Amino acid sequence: MEIRAVVLLVAMTVTLCSSAAVKNHWLGYKLYRLQVSTQEQLEFLRALDQEIEYKDLQDKVDIWTHLSQAVLDLKMPINVIISPEKQPEVLALLEEQGIAYKVSIDDVAAAVEAESFMSPADQKAADAGKMSWTAYHRYATMEAFVQSLAQDYSDIVELKMIGKSYEGRSMYRLKVGKPRADGKKKPAIWMDSHIHAREWIASATLLYMTNKLVTEYSRNSTVRRMVDDLDWYILPVVNPDGLEHTHSDSSYSTRMWRRTRRISPFAECLGADPNRNYDFKWMLSGAVQSPPCSDINAGAFPFSEVENLHLTDTALEVKDQLKVFLTIHSAAQMILTPWGYALEYPSDIADLEALGRRMANAITAQYGVRYQVGSSTYLLGAAAGATDDWGKAKAGVKYSYTVELRDLGYGFILPPSHIVPSGIETFEAIIEAHRTVVAEFGTTLN
Ligand SMILES: *[C@@H]1O[C@H](CO)[C@@H](O)[C@H](O)[C@H]1NC(C)=O
Ligand SMILES: [Zn+2]
């Protein structure tokens, strides 16, 4: 059955005609949600996934969900996007295997267009260097926005340029916190996002939360306590080159770009998966060097990606303060704990799971969006060299997590109308994180 899948996919490869218009690139694409109910079905999809990658067909059939054991055990949905010319064969294969599926986005072309839509008000905001929370903005707008926050709220915001991305974009780390009158150091929470280029909701959500922390300080007592008690170190976009690339045209492979953009002498493909590029258990599992174009290519060596180095340098500067480390992705609705390199657990896993569950419950309480909590290896599959493992092992942060934001059947094509609800529900999680840090560590470092 595996061989049959391969033969069909290769035989049916059709070159798409290229066009600048979204409609033409994505016309007829549909996003499906699959559900496996047997081990055999899961193995079938894994084999299919490998063949798709090997034959470089991801722009026609792309399994977005990591095919971990948990998708079977916990009956988690599997997002698969399929081009029109591939739908008949792939759906026939699914039916032959008895794999249940339904369409979750029928008109992907329209969804992609809606996702990039800027109303006149959004455009006006962007031109003025402001974020509106009703559209996905470009990196230049995000830069202008964090600069203006630092300027307008200099009593609680400090902006630091931490280095340049490979293509020369400035990267920023904000520190949000009211300095204590007695000058003592405070515990801190780290948040970063948008290491994967296509995960637009990640930076939109983190910047929404940043904006709330800063602009509501003077009028919201919950926010005031969060900013008084702790420092918040925020790196909103870890992969600015990738982010900009995903906006540069509307072809499938551009919009779904995940990696960095470094020109490599070793490979025809640019960059690597920065979330496999940290120097802890690098390449041990769930990461490859071949094929070079793989979405989980770990890079030629640890920290081959300069953006990762900027993140770790700036995090290590404040590591004595850090108690929680949140690295924000989309879209699987999960709070993931270390370790991600193998099905092993840190000795304080009970504490990590407890806060993870409190954060997930707080998110769910807002709008009912359900989150899974568990080990990264179990829920997503082993993936060494990722940010959360680095935060725990190398920066020594007790509560280190990967947060996978809402999916709700949209995968990476989440309409911009979700930015505000995602921001609001995820803010509930950081309220929990704040509460735990204060309860466990107090508000000063000894
Ligand atoms: C302060 O923010 C919290 C968290 O979003 C919210 O629940 C609360 O209603 C806000 N309070 C005010 C006075 O706006
Ligand atoms: Zn990701």
Side-chain angles (χ1 to χ4, degrees), residues 66 195-196 198-199 258 275 328-331 402 404 412:
H66 298 274
I195 193 171
H196 284 146
R198 63 191 174 190
E199 297 167 6
R258 162 176 158 112
N275 207 37
I328 300 173
H329 290 242
S330 73
T402 294
E404 290 273 350
F412 304 117

Side-chain angles (χ1 to χ4, degrees), residues 36-274:
V36 290
S37 50
T38 68
Q39 194 68 42
E40 194 189 12
Q41 292 172 347
L42 178 60
E43 298 305 335
F44 173 81
L45 288 183
R46 283 176 172 159
L48 185 63
D49 194 30
Q50 275 185 356
E51 288 302 327
I52 290 165
E53 168 145 28
Y54 186 69
K55 305 291 184 198
D56 203 16
L57 295 172
Q58 291 101 322
D59 59 344
K60 299 182 180 62
V61 184
D62 203 359
I63 302 178
W64 286 351
T65 305
H66 298 274
L67 297 170
S68 65
Q69 191 60 37
V71 301
L72 175 62
D73 298 350
L74 304 177
K75 304 196 185 322
M76 300 194 302
I78 300 163
N79 289 324
V80 182
I81 190 160
I82 312 177
S83 67
E85 77 268 26
K86 287 278 184 255
Q87 284 159 18
E89 315 91 83
V90 176
L91 298 183
L93 284 169
L94 296 179
E95 278 159 27
E96 203 176 279
Q97 295 296 320
I99 297 173
Y101 67 86
K102 61 178 198 248
V103 174
S104 59
I105 302 182
D106 189 53
D107 187 350
V108 170
V112 168
E113 205 160 19
E115 180 197 45
S116 292
F117 180 73
M118 299 273 273
S119 70
D122 294 321
Q123 194 55 57
K124 199 172 157 217
D127 292 344
K130 293 194 173 82
M131 302 283 292
S132 58
W133 309 108
T134 44
Y136 292 111
H137 288 278
R138 302 292 291 261
Y139 191 63
T141 305
M142 301 180 185
E143 272 188 284
F145 171 69
V146 295
Q147 285 164 353
S148 73
L149 277 186
Q151 227 156 46
D152 299 346
Y153 299 88
S154 56
D155 53 330
I156 53 169
V157 183
E158 219 181 274
L159 185 67
K160 188 177 175 198
M161 208 280 272
I162 60 168
K164 300 270 188 189
S165 68
Y166 178 81
E167 291 179 348
R169 294 185 176 85
S170 295
M171 292 171 61
Y172 298 94
R173 187 213 73 192
L174 293 110
K175 175 185 182 182
V176 178
K178 179 81 174 168
R180 290 176 59 92
D182 63 12
K184 283 189 179 159
K185 271 193 184 180
K186 303 190 285 180
I189 292 181
W190 171 278
M191 298 191 281
D192 67 66
S193 73
H194 220 136
I195 193 171
H196 284 146
R198 63 191 174 190
E199 297 167 6
W200 290 3
I201 189 63
S203 55
T205 298
L206 180 51
L207 287 167
Y208 177 92
M209 297 196 295
T210 305
N211 183 64
K212 183 174 169 87
L213 280 174
V214 173
T215 62
E216 295 188 14
Y217 176 75
S218 61
R219 58 187 157 91
N220 184 313
S221 59
T222 305
V223 171
R224 175 177 285 270
R225 274 196 302 276
M226 292 164 82
V227 173
D228 280 344
D229 291 346
L230 307 179
D231 288 333
W232 299 78
Y233 290 105
I234 299 164
L235 202 177
V237 181
V238 182
N239 183 5
D241 299 349
L243 180 159
E244 276 302 299
H245 180 66
T246 60
H247 285 272
S248 64
D249 72 52
S250 60
S251 69
Y252 185 84
S253 56
T254 300
R255 173 62 190 90
M256 288 304 139
W257 188 259
R258 162 176 158 112
R259 303 160 37 138
T260 52
R261 298 291 297 164
R262 178 182 41 79
I263 294 167
S264 166
F266 307 110
E268 70 263 32
C269 297
L270 301 190
D273 180 354

